[in-house]
Short mmCIF file of all heavy atoms in Angstrom, two decimals:
data_model
loop_
_atom_site.label_atom_id
_atom_site.label_comp_id
_atom_site.label_asym_id
_atom_site.label_seq_id
_atom_site.Cartn_x
_atom_site.Cartn_y
_atom_site.Cartn_z
N LYS Q 1 40.90 1.28 18.70
CA LYS Q 1 39.89 2.30 18.86
C LYS Q 1 38.72 1.73 19.63
O LYS Q 1 38.48 0.55 19.43
CB LYS Q 1 39.45 2.80 17.51
CG LYS Q 1 40.49 3.50 16.69
CD LYS Q 1 39.95 3.93 15.38
CE LYS Q 1 40.96 4.04 14.32
NZ LYS Q 1 40.53 4.26 13.06
N PRO Q 2 38.03 2.41 20.41
CA PRO Q 2 38.01 3.88 20.54
C PRO Q 2 38.96 4.43 21.60
O PRO Q 2 38.89 5.62 21.95
CB PRO Q 2 36.55 4.12 20.99
CG PRO Q 2 36.19 2.93 21.79
CD PRO Q 2 36.95 1.78 21.11
N HIS Q 3 39.91 3.63 22.01
CA HIS Q 3 40.92 4.16 22.98
C HIS Q 3 41.80 5.20 22.26
O HIS Q 3 42.22 5.03 21.14
CB HIS Q 3 41.73 3.02 23.54
CG HIS Q 3 40.91 2.04 24.30
ND1 HIS Q 3 40.32 2.29 25.48
CD2 HIS Q 3 40.58 0.74 23.95
CE1 HIS Q 3 39.66 1.21 25.84
NE2 HIS Q 3 39.75 0.28 24.93
N PRO Q 4 42.09 6.31 22.92
CA PRO Q 4 42.75 7.43 22.30
C PRO Q 4 44.32 7.29 22.33
O PRO Q 4 45.00 8.29 21.97
CB PRO Q 4 42.34 8.62 23.16
CG PRO Q 4 42.14 8.07 24.51
CD PRO Q 4 41.59 6.64 24.26
N ASP Q 5 44.85 6.15 22.69
CA ASP Q 5 46.28 6.01 22.89
C ASP Q 5 47.07 6.46 21.68
O ASP Q 5 48.07 7.22 21.84
CB ASP Q 5 46.64 4.51 23.19
CG ASP Q 5 46.00 4.08 24.48
OD1 ASP Q 5 45.58 4.92 25.30
OD2 ASP Q 5 45.97 2.84 24.68
N MET Q 6 46.73 6.07 20.48
CA MET Q 6 47.51 6.47 19.31
C MET Q 6 47.56 7.94 19.06
O MET Q 6 48.53 8.48 18.70
CB MET Q 6 47.06 5.71 18.11
CG MET Q 6 45.76 6.10 17.55
SD MET Q 6 45.44 5.17 15.99
CE MET Q 6 43.89 5.99 15.55
N ILE Q 7 46.43 8.59 19.41
CA ILE Q 7 46.34 10.03 19.22
C ILE Q 7 47.18 10.76 20.32
O ILE Q 7 47.95 11.71 19.98
CB ILE Q 7 44.92 10.55 19.35
CG1 ILE Q 7 44.05 9.85 18.23
CG2 ILE Q 7 44.84 12.03 19.18
CD1 ILE Q 7 42.59 10.07 18.39
N LEU Q 8 47.17 10.22 21.51
CA LEU Q 8 47.97 10.81 22.58
C LEU Q 8 49.49 10.65 22.31
O LEU Q 8 50.24 11.58 22.53
CB LEU Q 8 47.60 10.16 23.93
CG LEU Q 8 46.16 10.33 24.35
CD1 LEU Q 8 45.81 9.50 25.63
CD2 LEU Q 8 45.83 11.79 24.60
N LYS Q 9 49.88 9.50 21.78
CA LYS Q 9 51.22 9.28 21.38
C LYS Q 9 51.64 10.19 20.28
O LYS Q 9 52.80 10.72 20.29
CB LYS Q 9 51.46 7.81 21.02
CG LYS Q 9 51.44 6.88 22.14
CD LYS Q 9 51.63 5.45 21.67
CE LYS Q 9 51.50 4.49 22.89
NZ LYS Q 9 51.59 3.09 22.50
N LEU Q 10 50.83 10.43 19.28
CA LEU Q 10 51.14 11.31 18.22
C LEU Q 10 51.33 12.78 18.74
O LEU Q 10 52.31 13.40 18.36
CB LEU Q 10 50.00 11.32 17.16
CG LEU Q 10 50.15 12.37 16.05
CD1 LEU Q 10 51.31 12.06 15.19
CD2 LEU Q 10 48.84 12.43 15.23
N ALA Q 11 50.44 13.19 19.65
CA ALA Q 11 50.62 14.56 20.18
C ALA Q 11 51.96 14.71 20.94
O ALA Q 11 52.64 15.68 20.81
CB ALA Q 11 49.44 14.88 21.10
N GLU Q 12 52.27 13.66 21.72
CA GLU Q 12 53.54 13.69 22.42
C GLU Q 12 54.73 13.76 21.46
O GLU Q 12 55.67 14.55 21.65
CB GLU Q 12 53.62 12.44 23.31
CG GLU Q 12 54.92 12.42 24.17
CD GLU Q 12 54.95 11.15 25.01
OE1 GLU Q 12 53.91 10.59 25.33
OE2 GLU Q 12 56.09 10.74 25.38
N LYS Q 13 54.66 12.92 20.40
CA LYS Q 13 55.74 12.88 19.42
C LYS Q 13 55.92 14.23 18.68
O LYS Q 13 57.00 14.67 18.43
CB LYS Q 13 55.46 11.78 18.44
CG LYS Q 13 56.62 11.34 17.64
CD LYS Q 13 56.33 10.06 16.85
CE LYS Q 13 57.60 9.31 16.52
NZ LYS Q 13 57.34 8.10 15.86
N LEU Q 14 54.75 14.86 18.41
CA LEU Q 14 54.76 16.15 17.69
C LEU Q 14 55.07 17.33 18.63
O LEU Q 14 55.34 18.42 18.21
CB LEU Q 14 53.43 16.40 16.98
CG LEU Q 14 53.08 15.51 15.86
CD1 LEU Q 14 51.69 15.77 15.34
CD2 LEU Q 14 54.12 15.65 14.70
N GLY Q 15 54.94 17.08 19.95
CA GLY Q 15 55.19 18.13 20.94
C GLY Q 15 53.99 19.14 20.97
O GLY Q 15 54.30 20.33 21.11
N CYS Q 16 52.78 18.66 20.77
CA CYS Q 16 51.70 19.59 20.79
C CYS Q 16 50.59 19.10 21.70
O CYS Q 16 50.61 17.94 22.17
CB CYS Q 16 51.14 19.78 19.35
SG CYS Q 16 50.33 18.31 18.69
N LYS Q 17 49.64 19.92 21.98
CA LYS Q 17 48.48 19.57 22.74
C LYS Q 17 47.49 18.84 21.83
O LYS Q 17 47.38 19.16 20.67
CB LYS Q 17 47.80 20.76 23.38
CG LYS Q 17 48.67 21.57 24.29
CD LYS Q 17 47.95 22.86 24.68
CE LYS Q 17 48.85 23.70 25.55
NZ LYS Q 17 48.30 24.96 25.86
N THR Q 18 46.72 17.90 22.40
CA THR Q 18 45.68 17.24 21.60
C THR Q 18 44.64 18.22 21.10
O THR Q 18 44.05 17.95 20.06
CB THR Q 18 45.04 16.09 22.37
OG1 THR Q 18 44.50 16.59 23.59
CG2 THR Q 18 46.04 14.98 22.66
N SER Q 19 44.41 19.28 21.83
CA SER Q 19 43.45 20.28 21.36
C SER Q 19 43.88 20.98 20.13
O SER Q 19 43.07 21.73 19.51
CB SER Q 19 43.16 21.27 22.52
OG SER Q 19 44.35 21.96 22.84
N GLU Q 20 45.15 20.84 19.73
CA GLU Q 20 45.69 21.45 18.50
C GLU Q 20 45.55 20.49 17.32
O GLU Q 20 46.05 20.87 16.22
CB GLU Q 20 47.10 21.86 18.74
CG GLU Q 20 47.27 22.92 19.83
CD GLU Q 20 48.71 23.24 20.20
OE1 GLU Q 20 49.52 22.22 20.33
OE2 GLU Q 20 49.05 24.38 20.29
N ILE Q 21 45.05 19.33 17.55
CA ILE Q 21 45.00 18.30 16.50
C ILE Q 21 43.58 18.22 15.92
O ILE Q 21 42.58 18.24 16.63
CB ILE Q 21 45.36 16.90 17.07
CG1 ILE Q 21 46.86 16.90 17.44
CG2 ILE Q 21 45.09 15.80 16.04
CD1 ILE Q 21 47.29 15.64 18.18
N VAL Q 22 43.49 18.17 14.59
CA VAL Q 22 42.23 17.92 13.91
C VAL Q 22 42.31 16.45 13.56
O VAL Q 22 43.10 15.98 12.77
CB VAL Q 22 42.07 18.77 12.64
CG1 VAL Q 22 40.82 18.43 11.95
CG2 VAL Q 22 42.11 20.28 13.00
N TYR Q 23 41.32 15.64 14.09
CA TYR Q 23 41.29 14.26 13.88
C TYR Q 23 40.06 13.96 12.99
O TYR Q 23 38.93 14.23 13.33
CB TYR Q 23 41.14 13.51 15.22
CG TYR Q 23 41.20 12.05 15.17
CD1 TYR Q 23 42.42 11.40 14.84
CD2 TYR Q 23 40.09 11.22 15.31
CE1 TYR Q 23 42.51 10.03 14.76
CE2 TYR Q 23 40.19 9.86 15.25
CZ TYR Q 23 41.43 9.28 14.95
OH TYR Q 23 41.47 7.90 14.89
N VAL Q 24 40.32 13.37 11.83
CA VAL Q 24 39.26 13.06 10.87
C VAL Q 24 39.12 11.53 10.83
O VAL Q 24 40.07 10.81 10.65
CB VAL Q 24 39.66 13.58 9.47
CG1 VAL Q 24 38.58 13.29 8.48
CG2 VAL Q 24 39.90 15.11 9.48
N GLY Q 25 37.86 11.13 10.98
CA GLY Q 25 37.58 9.69 10.89
C GLY Q 25 36.31 9.37 10.12
O GLY Q 25 35.54 10.28 9.74
N ASP Q 26 36.11 8.11 9.88
CA ASP Q 26 34.97 7.66 9.09
C ASP Q 26 34.03 6.75 9.83
O ASP Q 26 33.10 6.19 9.27
CB ASP Q 26 35.41 7.01 7.80
CG ASP Q 26 36.11 5.66 8.00
OD1 ASP Q 26 36.39 5.30 9.18
OD2 ASP Q 26 36.41 4.94 7.05
N SER Q 27 34.20 6.66 11.17
CA SER Q 27 33.30 5.78 11.96
C SER Q 27 33.08 6.34 13.32
O SER Q 27 33.77 7.22 13.79
CB SER Q 27 33.91 4.36 12.04
OG SER Q 27 35.01 4.38 12.98
N GLY Q 28 32.09 5.76 13.99
CA GLY Q 28 31.85 6.14 15.38
C GLY Q 28 32.96 5.88 16.29
O GLY Q 28 33.24 6.67 17.24
N TYR Q 29 33.77 4.89 16.01
CA TYR Q 29 34.94 4.56 16.84
C TYR Q 29 35.99 5.69 16.73
O TYR Q 29 36.63 6.04 17.65
CB TYR Q 29 35.54 3.20 16.46
CG TYR Q 29 34.63 2.12 16.75
CD1 TYR Q 29 34.16 1.25 15.73
CD2 TYR Q 29 34.30 1.77 18.12
CE1 TYR Q 29 33.35 0.18 16.00
CE2 TYR Q 29 33.49 0.70 18.33
CZ TYR Q 29 33.01 -0.08 17.32
OH TYR Q 29 32.15 -1.12 17.57
N ASP Q 30 36.12 6.24 15.49
CA ASP Q 30 37.03 7.35 15.28
C ASP Q 30 36.56 8.54 16.08
O ASP Q 30 37.38 9.27 16.71
CB ASP Q 30 37.15 7.75 13.79
CG ASP Q 30 37.79 6.63 12.99
OD1 ASP Q 30 38.80 6.02 13.46
OD2 ASP Q 30 37.33 6.41 11.87
N VAL Q 31 35.28 8.82 16.08
CA VAL Q 31 34.71 9.97 16.80
C VAL Q 31 35.01 9.77 18.32
O VAL Q 31 35.41 10.72 18.96
CB VAL Q 31 33.20 10.11 16.57
CG1 VAL Q 31 32.58 11.11 17.48
CG2 VAL Q 31 32.98 10.46 15.08
N GLU Q 32 34.76 8.57 18.86
CA GLU Q 32 34.96 8.31 20.22
C GLU Q 32 36.45 8.48 20.61
O GLU Q 32 36.75 9.06 21.65
CB GLU Q 32 34.53 6.90 20.56
CG GLU Q 32 32.96 6.77 20.55
CD GLU Q 32 32.53 5.36 20.90
OE1 GLU Q 32 33.24 4.67 21.71
OE2 GLU Q 32 31.54 4.93 20.36
N ALA Q 33 37.34 8.00 19.73
CA ALA Q 33 38.77 8.13 20.07
C ALA Q 33 39.21 9.59 20.02
O ALA Q 33 39.95 10.07 20.89
CB ALA Q 33 39.60 7.32 19.05
N GLY Q 34 38.79 10.30 19.01
CA GLY Q 34 39.10 11.70 18.91
C GLY Q 34 38.60 12.55 20.02
O GLY Q 34 39.35 13.38 20.62
N ARG Q 35 37.37 12.34 20.44
CA ARG Q 35 36.85 13.08 21.52
C ARG Q 35 37.50 12.74 22.87
O ARG Q 35 37.75 13.57 23.70
CB ARG Q 35 35.31 12.87 21.63
CG ARG Q 35 34.51 13.45 20.44
CD ARG Q 35 34.73 14.93 20.31
NE ARG Q 35 34.29 15.66 21.48
CZ ARG Q 35 33.32 16.47 21.61
NH1 ARG Q 35 32.64 16.80 20.57
NH2 ARG Q 35 33.01 17.09 22.75
N ALA Q 36 37.74 11.43 23.07
CA ALA Q 36 38.46 10.99 24.29
C ALA Q 36 39.85 11.62 24.40
O ALA Q 36 40.30 11.88 25.51
CB ALA Q 36 38.54 9.46 24.34
N ALA Q 37 40.46 11.87 23.25
CA ALA Q 37 41.80 12.45 23.28
C ALA Q 37 41.75 13.97 23.38
O ALA Q 37 42.75 14.63 23.69
CB ALA Q 37 42.57 12.09 21.98
N GLY Q 38 40.58 14.59 23.14
CA GLY Q 38 40.45 16.03 23.28
C GLY Q 38 40.76 16.78 21.96
O GLY Q 38 41.10 17.99 22.00
N THR Q 39 40.65 16.06 20.84
CA THR Q 39 40.91 16.72 19.54
C THR Q 39 39.65 17.39 18.98
O THR Q 39 38.55 17.14 19.45
CB THR Q 39 41.39 15.70 18.51
OG1 THR Q 39 40.30 14.79 18.22
CG2 THR Q 39 42.58 14.89 18.97
N LEU Q 40 39.87 18.23 17.99
CA LEU Q 40 38.72 18.69 17.19
C LEU Q 40 38.47 17.57 16.26
O LEU Q 40 39.28 17.12 15.51
CB LEU Q 40 39.13 19.94 16.37
CG LEU Q 40 38.03 20.61 15.60
CD1 LEU Q 40 38.32 22.13 15.48
CD2 LEU Q 40 37.73 20.01 14.30
N THR Q 41 37.31 16.97 16.40
CA THR Q 41 36.99 15.68 15.69
C THR Q 41 36.00 15.92 14.55
O THR Q 41 34.98 16.57 14.76
CB THR Q 41 36.41 14.65 16.66
OG1 THR Q 41 37.34 14.46 17.73
CG2 THR Q 41 36.21 13.31 16.01
N ILE Q 42 36.34 15.42 13.38
CA ILE Q 42 35.49 15.58 12.20
C ILE Q 42 35.12 14.20 11.66
O ILE Q 42 35.98 13.36 11.50
CB ILE Q 42 36.22 16.40 11.10
CG1 ILE Q 42 36.44 17.80 11.64
CG2 ILE Q 42 35.37 16.39 9.84
CD1 ILE Q 42 37.29 18.70 10.74
N LEU Q 43 33.85 14.00 11.42
CA LEU Q 43 33.37 12.73 10.89
C LEU Q 43 33.07 12.91 9.38
O LEU Q 43 32.35 13.83 8.98
CB LEU Q 43 32.08 12.31 11.59
CG LEU Q 43 31.39 11.05 11.04
CD1 LEU Q 43 32.29 9.82 11.27
CD2 LEU Q 43 30.04 10.88 11.68
N ILE Q 44 33.64 12.04 8.59
CA ILE Q 44 33.30 11.89 7.17
C ILE Q 44 32.82 10.47 7.04
O ILE Q 44 33.68 9.57 6.89
CB ILE Q 44 34.41 12.20 6.18
CG1 ILE Q 44 34.94 13.62 6.44
CG2 ILE Q 44 33.95 12.06 4.77
CD1 ILE Q 44 36.12 14.04 5.59
N PRO Q 45 31.51 10.14 7.14
CA PRO Q 45 31.08 8.79 7.24
C PRO Q 45 31.41 7.98 6.00
O PRO Q 45 31.25 8.47 4.89
CB PRO Q 45 29.57 8.91 7.42
CG PRO Q 45 29.29 10.27 7.77
CD PRO Q 45 30.44 11.09 7.26
N SER Q 46 31.86 6.80 6.23
CA SER Q 46 32.14 5.87 5.15
C SER Q 46 30.85 5.29 4.63
O SER Q 46 29.87 5.12 5.39
CB SER Q 46 33.06 4.77 5.69
OG SER Q 46 32.82 3.57 5.09
N GLU Q 47 30.80 5.04 3.30
CA GLU Q 47 29.58 4.49 2.71
C GLU Q 47 29.30 3.09 3.21
O GLU Q 47 28.16 2.65 3.22
CB GLU Q 47 29.71 4.49 1.21
CG GLU Q 47 29.81 5.84 0.60
CD GLU Q 47 29.99 5.79 -0.91
OE1 GLU Q 47 29.73 4.74 -1.54
OE2 GLU Q 47 30.42 6.83 -1.47
N TRP Q 48 30.33 2.34 3.56
CA TRP Q 48 30.13 0.88 3.94
C TRP Q 48 30.03 0.67 5.46
O TRP Q 48 29.81 -0.45 5.84
CB TRP Q 48 31.18 0.08 3.27
CG TRP Q 48 32.56 0.42 3.70
CD1 TRP Q 48 33.26 -0.07 4.77
CD2 TRP Q 48 33.46 1.35 3.07
NE1 TRP Q 48 34.47 0.49 4.89
CE2 TRP Q 48 34.62 1.34 3.83
CE3 TRP Q 48 33.36 2.16 1.95
CZ2 TRP Q 48 35.73 2.17 3.48
CZ3 TRP Q 48 34.42 2.94 1.58
CH2 TRP Q 48 35.62 2.93 2.35
N LEU Q 49 30.26 1.70 6.26
CA LEU Q 49 30.13 1.49 7.72
C LEU Q 49 28.90 2.15 8.25
O LEU Q 49 28.60 3.29 7.92
CB LEU Q 49 31.40 2.07 8.42
CG LEU Q 49 32.70 1.38 8.14
CD1 LEU Q 49 33.82 2.14 8.85
CD2 LEU Q 49 32.66 -0.04 8.72
N GLU Q 50 28.16 1.46 9.07
CA GLU Q 50 27.00 1.99 9.68
C GLU Q 50 27.49 2.86 10.90
O GLU Q 50 28.43 2.48 11.57
CB GLU Q 50 26.08 0.91 10.20
CG GLU Q 50 25.50 0.10 9.05
CD GLU Q 50 24.02 0.22 8.97
OE1 GLU Q 50 23.44 0.85 9.83
OE2 GLU Q 50 23.50 -0.28 7.98
N TYR Q 51 26.80 3.92 11.14
CA TYR Q 51 27.16 4.74 12.28
C TYR Q 51 25.89 5.05 13.08
O TYR Q 51 24.89 5.40 12.57
CB TYR Q 51 27.79 6.10 11.86
CG TYR Q 51 28.10 6.97 12.98
CD1 TYR Q 51 29.17 6.61 13.88
CD2 TYR Q 51 27.43 8.11 13.29
CE1 TYR Q 51 29.53 7.37 14.94
CE2 TYR Q 51 27.75 8.90 14.39
CZ TYR Q 51 28.79 8.53 15.17
OH TYR Q 51 29.12 9.31 16.26
N ASP Q 52 25.94 4.72 14.39
CA ASP Q 52 24.81 4.90 15.26
C ASP Q 52 24.64 6.40 15.50
O ASP Q 52 25.37 7.06 16.24
CB ASP Q 52 25.03 4.21 16.56
CG ASP Q 52 23.92 4.37 17.57
OD1 ASP Q 52 22.93 5.06 17.23
OD2 ASP Q 52 24.06 3.77 18.62
N LYS Q 53 23.62 7.02 14.87
CA LYS Q 53 23.40 8.45 14.97
C LYS Q 53 23.10 8.92 16.40
O LYS Q 53 23.27 10.05 16.74
CB LYS Q 53 22.21 8.86 14.07
CG LYS Q 53 22.51 8.70 12.63
CD LYS Q 53 23.49 9.70 12.14
CE LYS Q 53 23.66 9.67 10.64
NZ LYS Q 53 24.68 10.55 10.16
N SER Q 54 22.71 8.01 17.28
CA SER Q 54 22.44 8.41 18.65
C SER Q 54 23.74 8.77 19.39
O SER Q 54 23.72 9.34 20.46
CB SER Q 54 21.75 7.28 19.38
OG SER Q 54 22.56 6.16 19.55
N ARG Q 55 24.91 8.41 18.85
CA ARG Q 55 26.16 8.70 19.48
C ARG Q 55 26.85 9.94 18.86
O ARG Q 55 28.04 10.08 18.93
CB ARG Q 55 27.12 7.53 19.38
CG ARG Q 55 26.57 6.31 20.12
CD ARG Q 55 27.60 5.23 20.22
NE ARG Q 55 28.06 4.88 18.88
CZ ARG Q 55 29.11 4.09 18.67
NH1 ARG Q 55 29.78 3.60 19.70
NH2 ARG Q 55 29.49 3.81 17.48
N GLU Q 56 26.08 10.77 18.15
CA GLU Q 56 26.68 11.92 17.47
C GLU Q 56 27.35 12.80 18.51
O GLU Q 56 26.71 13.40 19.37
CB GLU Q 56 25.65 12.73 16.70
CG GLU Q 56 25.18 11.93 15.51
CD GLU Q 56 24.15 12.63 14.70
OE1 GLU Q 56 23.69 13.70 15.16
OE2 GLU Q 56 23.81 12.16 13.62
N ASN Q 57 28.66 12.91 18.44
CA ASN Q 57 29.45 13.69 19.38
C ASN Q 57 30.67 14.18 18.69
O ASN Q 57 31.79 13.85 19.08
CB ASN Q 57 29.74 12.83 20.56
CG ASN Q 57 30.28 13.64 21.72
OD1 ASN Q 57 30.13 14.84 21.77
ND2 ASN Q 57 30.93 12.97 22.66
N PHE Q 58 30.50 14.91 17.62
CA PHE Q 58 31.67 15.40 16.83
C PHE Q 58 31.39 16.89 16.54
O PHE Q 58 30.33 17.40 16.69
CB PHE Q 58 31.84 14.61 15.57
CG PHE Q 58 30.55 14.27 14.83
CD1 PHE Q 58 29.94 15.21 14.02
CD2 PHE Q 58 29.87 13.07 15.06
CE1 PHE Q 58 28.77 14.95 13.39
CE2 PHE Q 58 28.71 12.80 14.44
CZ PHE Q 58 28.13 13.74 13.59
N TYR Q 59 32.49 17.48 16.03
CA TYR Q 59 32.43 18.93 15.72
C TYR Q 59 31.77 19.24 14.36
O TYR Q 59 31.00 20.18 14.21
CB TYR Q 59 33.76 19.56 15.85
CG TYR Q 59 34.28 19.68 17.24
CD1 TYR Q 59 35.24 18.77 17.69
CD2 TYR Q 59 33.76 20.53 18.13
CE1 TYR Q 59 35.74 18.83 18.94
CE2 TYR Q 59 34.18 20.58 19.43
CZ TYR Q 59 35.20 19.74 19.83
OH TYR Q 59 35.66 19.75 21.16
N HIS Q 60 32.14 18.42 13.41
CA HIS Q 60 31.57 18.54 12.05
C HIS Q 60 31.26 17.20 11.51
O HIS Q 60 32.02 16.24 11.67
CB HIS Q 60 32.60 19.27 11.13
CG HIS Q 60 32.92 20.67 11.57
ND1 HIS Q 60 32.02 21.69 11.36
CD2 HIS Q 60 33.95 21.21 12.17
CE1 HIS Q 60 32.61 22.79 11.84
NE2 HIS Q 60 33.71 22.48 12.38
N ASN Q 61 30.17 17.14 10.78
CA ASN Q 61 29.80 15.91 10.06
C ASN Q 61 29.78 16.28 8.54
O ASN Q 61 28.96 16.97 8.12
CB ASN Q 61 28.43 15.40 10.47
CG ASN Q 61 28.03 14.11 9.82
OD1 ASN Q 61 28.80 13.53 9.05
ND2 ASN Q 61 26.80 13.68 10.05
N LEU Q 62 30.83 15.86 7.86
CA LEU Q 62 31.00 16.23 6.48
C LEU Q 62 30.61 15.07 5.55
O LEU Q 62 30.63 13.92 5.98
CB LEU Q 62 32.44 16.59 6.22
CG LEU Q 62 32.99 17.74 7.10
CD1 LEU Q 62 34.47 17.99 6.77
CD2 LEU Q 62 32.19 18.99 7.06
N LYS Q 63 30.35 15.40 4.30
CA LYS Q 63 30.01 14.37 3.31
C LYS Q 63 31.24 13.92 2.53
O LYS Q 63 31.22 12.84 1.96
CB LYS Q 63 28.95 14.86 2.35
CG LYS Q 63 27.64 15.11 3.04
CD LYS Q 63 26.62 15.65 2.12
CE LYS Q 63 25.32 15.98 2.84
NZ LYS Q 63 24.33 16.60 2.03
N SER Q 64 32.25 14.75 2.45
CA SER Q 64 33.39 14.38 1.67
C SER Q 64 34.68 15.16 2.13
O SER Q 64 34.54 16.14 2.90
CB SER Q 64 33.21 14.69 0.20
OG SER Q 64 33.17 16.10 -0.03
N LEU Q 65 35.86 14.75 1.67
CA LEU Q 65 37.07 15.48 1.99
C LEU Q 65 37.07 16.87 1.34
O LEU Q 65 37.71 17.75 1.84
CB LEU Q 65 38.26 14.66 1.43
CG LEU Q 65 38.65 13.45 2.29
CD1 LEU Q 65 39.81 12.71 1.61
CD2 LEU Q 65 39.10 13.88 3.68
N LYS Q 66 36.31 17.03 0.27
CA LYS Q 66 36.22 18.37 -0.37
C LYS Q 66 35.67 19.38 0.63
O LYS Q 66 36.13 20.48 0.62
CB LYS Q 66 35.27 18.22 -1.58
CG LYS Q 66 35.42 19.31 -2.57
CD LYS Q 66 36.73 19.13 -3.34
CE LYS Q 66 36.69 19.95 -4.59
NZ LYS Q 66 38.03 20.15 -5.07
N GLU Q 67 34.70 18.99 1.42
CA GLU Q 67 34.18 19.89 2.44
C GLU Q 67 35.17 20.24 3.51
O GLU Q 67 35.12 21.30 4.05
CB GLU Q 67 32.92 19.26 3.07
CG GLU Q 67 31.72 19.17 2.18
CD GLU Q 67 30.51 18.63 2.88
OE1 GLU Q 67 30.12 19.19 3.93
OE2 GLU Q 67 30.01 17.58 2.43
N LEU Q 68 36.11 19.35 3.72
CA LEU Q 68 37.17 19.58 4.74
C LEU Q 68 38.02 20.73 4.26
O LEU Q 68 38.44 21.62 5.03
CB LEU Q 68 38.04 18.31 4.92
CG LEU Q 68 39.06 18.36 5.98
CD1 LEU Q 68 38.50 18.60 7.37
CD2 LEU Q 68 39.89 17.08 6.03
N GLU Q 69 38.30 20.80 2.96
CA GLU Q 69 39.09 21.92 2.42
C GLU Q 69 38.44 23.28 2.63
O GLU Q 69 39.10 24.23 2.82
CB GLU Q 69 39.28 21.76 0.89
CG GLU Q 69 40.13 20.55 0.48
CD GLU Q 69 40.14 20.36 -1.03
OE1 GLU Q 69 39.40 21.00 -1.77
OE2 GLU Q 69 40.90 19.47 -1.44
N GLN Q 70 37.12 23.27 2.70
CA GLN Q 70 36.39 24.51 2.93
C GLN Q 70 36.46 25.00 4.39
O GLN Q 70 36.42 26.16 4.68
CB GLN Q 70 34.90 24.38 2.50
CG GLN Q 70 34.81 24.15 0.99
CD GLN Q 70 33.36 23.72 0.62
OE1 GLN Q 70 32.46 23.56 1.42
NE2 GLN Q 70 33.19 23.59 -0.71
N LEU Q 71 36.60 23.98 5.31
CA LEU Q 71 36.72 24.35 6.74
C LEU Q 71 38.08 24.93 7.02
O LEU Q 71 38.23 25.76 7.92
CB LEU Q 71 36.56 23.11 7.60
CG LEU Q 71 35.17 22.61 7.85
CD1 LEU Q 71 35.20 21.35 8.68
CD2 LEU Q 71 34.36 23.70 8.60
N PHE Q 72 39.11 24.44 6.31
CA PHE Q 72 40.46 24.90 6.55
C PHE Q 72 41.12 25.36 5.27
O PHE Q 72 41.92 24.68 4.63
CB PHE Q 72 41.34 23.71 7.13
CG PHE Q 72 40.74 23.16 8.42
CD1 PHE Q 72 39.94 22.08 8.42
CD2 PHE Q 72 40.97 23.83 9.62
CE1 PHE Q 72 39.42 21.60 9.59
CE2 PHE Q 72 40.44 23.32 10.80
CZ PHE Q 72 39.70 22.19 10.79
N PRO Q 73 40.72 26.55 4.79
CA PRO Q 73 41.23 27.04 3.49
C PRO Q 73 42.72 27.35 3.55
O PRO Q 73 43.31 27.55 4.50
CB PRO Q 73 40.41 28.30 3.27
CG PRO Q 73 39.77 28.66 4.58
CD PRO Q 73 39.81 27.49 5.44
#
């Protein structure tokens, strides 16, 4: 990471577009990889990893996986 290669390979394997993938990560590197691949990117920041707020470039910034359930009922 932040190279999107693994996400691009997953999309190819699944036979879908990266824009159809919801990519959830806990760090700035995850956000960069997801955005570079063209996914809908969601950040759930980890308690132990620092994230540079100046690089905020994600669709949703959630506090927990519980909030993810509310986005996709």
Side-chain angles (χ1 to χ4, degrees):
K1 296 178 204 173
H3 300 288
D5 298 344
M6 69 176 185
I7 301 168
L8 299 173
K9 287 179 185 177
L10 174 65
E12 183 180 335
K13 198 171 202 175
L14 293 174
C16 67
K17 298 175 185 174
T18 55
S19 61
E20 299 173 315
I21 294 175
V22 176
Y23 187 72
V24 180
D26 67 354
S27 75
Y29 295 115
D30 293 322
V31 170
E32 289 179 32
R35 292 302 299 246
T39 66
L40 187 151
T41 305
I42 295 174
L43 174 68
I44 302 177
S46 148
E47 293 178 19
W48 59 89
L49 291 176
E50 296 245 353
Y51 181 68
D52 179 359
K53 293 289 186 184
S54 67
R55 296 188 306 169
E56 291 180 351
N57 192 17
F58 43 83
Y59 291 104
H60 296 284
N61 182 6
L62 306 179
K63 294 179 183 174
S64 70
L65 285 174
K66 199 74 163 160
E67 290 183 57
L68 185 61
E69 292 174 354
Q70 295 169 358
L71 281 178
F72 302 98

